[in-house]
């Protein structure tokens, strides 16, 4: 590990990104160890195992042998698949305390939340070659400092325990985006895109870019609904449909791939597989219907999808 951080050939961006993963992993390990000590539910053993194993992979995956990482991931998935990753007994602060904190901080509480986006944009604009994800690291540090300044009662354990409570509420859904991203890479390596190209080659009339665009857009949305991740879908759909049936006919790749990605996002809005966007917020807000967010987003998603296809038609006709 020390060799990695002392290596001058590795960029500062990658080193900071690795620091963020290490801190995230340590926090997951903390949640796992606390689950074992507190024993807040009858599944305290598998719950602690889930968070501890996940923390090891997140923090040290860069240096673990692939076989070891794979075994740990399999161990992590066992309690999740068996439904044994449960919430503890950590409760939200009482209403009186929440009102008291609101009087101290007020609407300034949203400043740390906006920080991630602001820092990510600043890094993208002014630090070429740096990962925008590092914005989350800077935003978290600045957010913690601001919250301590605004409320002196915020101690290190306050952030650790409140963070653990929110992670506890998320449960095993926390790892779904990670697994889906991995699945997208596996599909690409397995040649799923080429298989799609062969199948659609028998269905889509050759030489008609507009039918190709519809197939490309629909494929992005449907595959994203299945995968829950547009980033996982874009490679497979671009290789299988975008390149042979749209880009090969002269359509501008910059516009087409970008708009296809947006079509995938329309699928993100209406799938429970995108749990970090559509399910977790409902859990945090404690809504009765966990699919209520998806239901509210369905009509805007449909409108956006139709508009994107029309925009792709317009670009293709120029």
């Amino acid at each position: 590990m020390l060799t990695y951080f002392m290596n001058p050939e590795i960029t500062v961006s990658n080193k900071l990104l690795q620091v963020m993963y290490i801190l995230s992993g340590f926090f997951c390990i903390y949640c796992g160890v606390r689950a074992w000590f507190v024993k807040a539910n009858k599944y305290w053993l598998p719950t602690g195992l889930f968070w501890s194993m996940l923390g090891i992979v997140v923090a040290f995956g860069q240096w673990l042998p692939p076989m070891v990482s794979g075994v740990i991931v399999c161990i992590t998935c066992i309690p999740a698949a068996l439904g044994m990753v449960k919430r503890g007994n950590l409760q939200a602060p009482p209403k009186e305390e929440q009102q008291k904190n609101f009087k101290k901080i007020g609407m300034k509480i949203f400043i740390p939340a906006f920080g991630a986006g602001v820092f990510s944009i600043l890094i993208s604009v002014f630090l070429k070659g740096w990962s925008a994800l590092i914005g989350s690291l800077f935003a978290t540090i600045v957010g913690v400092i601001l919250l301590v300044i605004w409320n002196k009662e915020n101690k290190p354990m306050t952030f650790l325990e409140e963070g653990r409570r929110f992670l506890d509420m998320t449960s095993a859904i926390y790892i779904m985006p990670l697994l889906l991203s991995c699945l997208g890479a596996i599909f690409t390596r397995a040649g799923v895109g080429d298989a799609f190209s062969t199948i659609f080659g028998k269905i889509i009339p050759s030489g008609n870019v507009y039918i190709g665009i519809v197939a490309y857009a629909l494929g992005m949305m449907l595959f994203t609904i299945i995968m829950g991740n547009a980033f996982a879908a874009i490679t497979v759909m671009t290789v299988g449909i975008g390149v042979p049936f749209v880009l090969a006919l002269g359509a501008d790749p910059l516009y087409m791939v970008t708009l296809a990605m947006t079509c995938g996002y329309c699928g993100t809005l209406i799938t429970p597989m995108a749990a970090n966007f559509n399910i977790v917020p409902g859990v945090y807000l404690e809504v009765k219907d966990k699919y209520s967010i998806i239901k509210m987003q369905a009509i805007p998603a449909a409108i956006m999808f139709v508009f994107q296809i029309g925009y792709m038609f317009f670009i293709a006709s120029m």
Side-chain angles (χ1 to χ4, degrees), residues 46 58 72 83 107 109 128 151 169 184 207 217 223 231 240 244 282 289 296 307 315:
V58 173
I72 295 176
M107 300 304 288
I109 191 65
K128 300 297 182 182
N151 187 352
M169 293 168 64
F223 208 69
F231 288 98
D289 183 1
M296 288 188 292
F307 176 81
I315 295 296

Side-chain angles (χ1 to χ4, degrees), residues 131-165:
S131 172
L133 284 174
I134 299 175
S136 299
L137 175 63
F138 291 152
T140 301
I141 295 172
V142 173
V144 167
I145 293 172
L146 289 175
L147 290 170
V148 171
I149 293 173
W150 293 335
N151 187 352
K152 302 299 182 183
E153 295 179 10
N154 286 329
K155 306 297 181 184
M157 284 303 297
T158 304
F159 296 104
L160 285 174
E161 289 300 289
E162 281 300 297
R164 183 166 77 93
R165 181 172 69 85

Side-chain angles (χ1 to χ4, degrees), residues 10-313:
I10 298 175
T11 64
V12 175
S13 173
N14 286 337
K15 291 176 181 177
L16 287 175
L17 197 61
Q18 200 59 49
V19 168
M20 185 177 74
Y21 286 132
I22 291 173
L23 293 175
S24 300
F26 281 167
F27 179 68
C28 289
I29 294 173
Y30 167 81
C31 293
V33 173
R34 285 287 290 168
W36 285 332
F37 278 95
V38 176
K39 300 180 181 178
N41 63 73
K42 66 177 182 178
Y43 295 113
W44 57 271
L45 185 59
T47 298
L49 179 68
F50 172 83
W51 291 117
S52 298
M53 293 296 100
L54 179 63
I56 291 173
V57 173
V58 173
F60 305 111
Q62 175 75 24
W63 302 281
L64 292 174
M67 180 61 71
V68 175
S69 294
V71 170
I72 295 176
V73 169
C74 290
I75 294 173
T76 303
C77 291
I78 291 173
L82 296 176
M84 292 183 176
V85 182
K86 299 295 184 180
R87 292 176 57 174
N89 59 357
L90 287 171
Q91 301 296 325
K95 294 293 183 181
E96 296 76 14
E97 183 177 345
Q98 293 182 29
Q99 290 294 333
K100 177 184 174 183
N101 290 332
F102 179 75
K103 290 179 180 178
K104 286 184 178 180
I105 300 176
M107 300 304 288
K108 291 186 295 185
I109 191 65
F110 289 103
I111 294 177
F114 282 116
V118 172
F119 277 106
S120 296
I121 293 173
L122 291 175
I123 288 173
S124 299
V125 173
F126 296 106
L127 296 175
K128 300 297 182 182
W130 282 48
S131 172
L133 284 174
I134 299 175
S136 299
L137 175 63
F138 291 152
T140 301
I141 295 172
V142 173
V144 167
I145 293 172
L146 289 175
L147 290 170
V148 171
I149 293 173
W150 293 335
N151 187 352
K152 302 299 182 183
E153 295 179 10
N154 286 329
K155 306 297 181 184
M157 284 303 297
T158 304
F159 296 104
L160 285 174
E161 289 300 289
E162 281 300 297
R164 183 166 77 93
R165 181 172 69 85
F166 274 91
L167 203 60
D168 221 19
M169 293 168 64
T170 308
S171 187
I173 295 175
Y174 180 81
I175 66 171
M176 187 176 287
L178 301 175
L179 295 178
L180 291 174
S181 297
C182 295
L183 189 60
I186 292 171
F187 278 3
T188 302
R189 292 291 297 272
V192 175
D194 295 331
F196 270 111
S197 180
T198 302
I199 294 171
F200 279 95
K202 300 177 180 178
I203 301 173
I204 302 174
S206 59
N208 192 320
V209 68
Y210 298 106
I211 296 179
I213 286 173
V214 173
Y216 191 19
L218 278 172
M220 275 300 301
M221 185 179 74
L222 294 176
F223 208 69
T224 301
I225 290 173
I226 296 170
M227 298 289 295
N229 190 319
F231 288 98
I234 188 66
T235 305
V236 175
M237 287 295 107
T238 299
V239 171
I241 303 177
V243 172
F245 302 107
V246 179
L247 306 184
L249 299 178
D252 191 315
L254 176 62
Y255 288 104
M256 290 300 154
V257 176
T258 302
L259 292 169
M261 193 72 174
T262 310
C263 291
Y265 292 150
C266 294
T268 302
L269 293 173
I270 55 176
T271 175
M273 294 298 287
N276 50 326
F277 295 115
N278 300 332
I279 303 298
V280 173
V283 173
Y284 286 161
L285 295 173
E286 299 181 344
V287 296
K288 294 181 179 179
D289 183 1
K290 64 179 181 179
Y291 299 116
S292 58
I293 294 175
I294 293 175
K295 293 175 181 177
M296 288 188 292
Q297 293 175 164
I299 294 178
I303 295 172
M304 288 175 58
F305 180 71
V306 173
F307 176 81
Q308 297 305 319
I309 292 179
Y311 193 14
M312 293 170 82
F313 279 5

